[in-house]
Amino acid sequence: SQKIEQNSEALNIQEGKTATLTCNYTNYSPAYLQWYRQDPGRGPVFLLLIRENEKEKRKERLKVTFDTTLKQSLFHITASQPADSATYLCALAGSSNTGKLIFGQGTTLQVKP
Amino acid sequence: NAGVMQNPRHLVRRRGQEARLRCSPMKGHSHVYWYRQLPEEGLKFMVYLQKENIIDESGMPKERFSAEFPKEGPSILRIQQVVRGDSAAYFCASSPPSGTGNEQFFGPGTRLTVL
C-alpha cells in the first residue's frame, strides 16, 4: 500500500543552523510534491511545489529536493529562526490529476534561540 | 482578497446529531477539497468537488458523510448521526480553476467535538 513517512520525531536545532526534514514514500509515483507549514490550531500554509522532472527548487531560505529514484524529498531551512518553529507537512499528488493530496504525518521543528 | 473561510470554527454535537460544516473558497476558486485531521495524525483527504460536481470522493466514509458544492453558496460537509470517532479538525482547501497541480489554500478548520 502507499506510504509516506516523515521524520518521526521532533527536530530541535539551534537558531542560525540549517534544518533538514525528510519525506520518504513507497508504492507511489507522484507527479509533484508539495511542502506545507502548519502552526497549532491553524490550517496548513503552502510553501513550495516541486514536479517529478525537477531536482531542486528554492525560495528565499527554503530549498526542496526531489529524488524519484530514491523516492525521497528533502526540505531545508537555512539560517533558521525561532519563528520557523512549526510542523512541516509533505504532500504528494498522483498523475491522475484529481487534485487529491496525500499528506505525511508531519515533522515538528523547534528552533531554539 | 479574503482567504478560505470556514464556519463554524468550533462545533459541539452529541452522539446521533447532525453536523454541517461550511466552506467558502477564495474568490475565483472553483475547486474545493475537504480533509480531516485526527488528533496526533496527519491530514487525510476526504473529497474533491467542483461546482455542482463531486470529482473524487475516495476518502469519504461510505456511510453518514456527504459533501456538496452548489452553484451558489458555500461547500457543505454533512455528517449524520455523529459518533465520538468523528471528533477531529476538518479543513477545507480551495484552488483556482487553472487545473490541479496548484497549491491549495486552506481555511482555519472546523473543530468538531462529539460528546
Side-chain angles (χ1 to χ4, degrees), chain A residues 32 34 36 38 40-46 49 51 89 96-106, chain B residues 9 33 35 37 41-45 48 55-56 58 91 100-109 111:
Chain A
Y32 56 88
Q34 301 182 9
Y36 288 79
Q38 186 174 24
R42 294 176 173 261
V45 175
F46 172 82
L49 179 152
R51 300 190 185 278
L89 309 170
S96 59
N97 252 3
T98 69
K100 169 182 178 179
L101 289 177
I102 310 297
F103 281 88
Q105 79 278 18
Chain B
R9 294 292 308 277
Y33 315 83
Y35 295 85
Q37 188 170 40
E41 290 189 20
L43 284 156
K44 303 292 185 189
F45 169 82
Y48 162 39
I55 307 301
D56 183 345
S58 58
F91 290 96
T100 54
N102 297 308
E103 65 180 280
Q104 295 184 9
F105 294 80
F106 282 79
R111 277 144 189 87

Side-chain angles (χ1 to χ4, degrees), chain A residues 44-58:
Chain A
V45 175
F46 172 82
L47 296 174
L48 280 168
L49 179 152
I50 187 164
R51 300 190 185 278
E52 59 180 338
N53 58 350
E54 297 175 316
K55 295 290 185 186
E56 184 179 296
K57 209 91 173 271
R58 291 174 185 260

Side-chain angles (χ1 to χ4, degrees), chain B residues 63-111:
Chain B
E63 298 176 349
R64 302 189 297 108
F65 285 72
S66 63
E68 63 176 5
F69 189 16
K71 188 177 180 182
E72 301 290 339
S75 175
I76 306 287
L77 179 68
R78 183 181 176 206
I79 311 172
Q80 295 178 291
Q81 299 176 336
V82 296
V83 301
R84 288 220 173 100
D86 296 332
S87 296
Y90 292 83
F91 290 96
C92 165
S94 71
S95 66
S98 53
T100 54
N102 297 308
E103 65 180 280
Q104 295 184 9
F105 294 80
F106 282 79
T110 294
R111 277 144 189 87

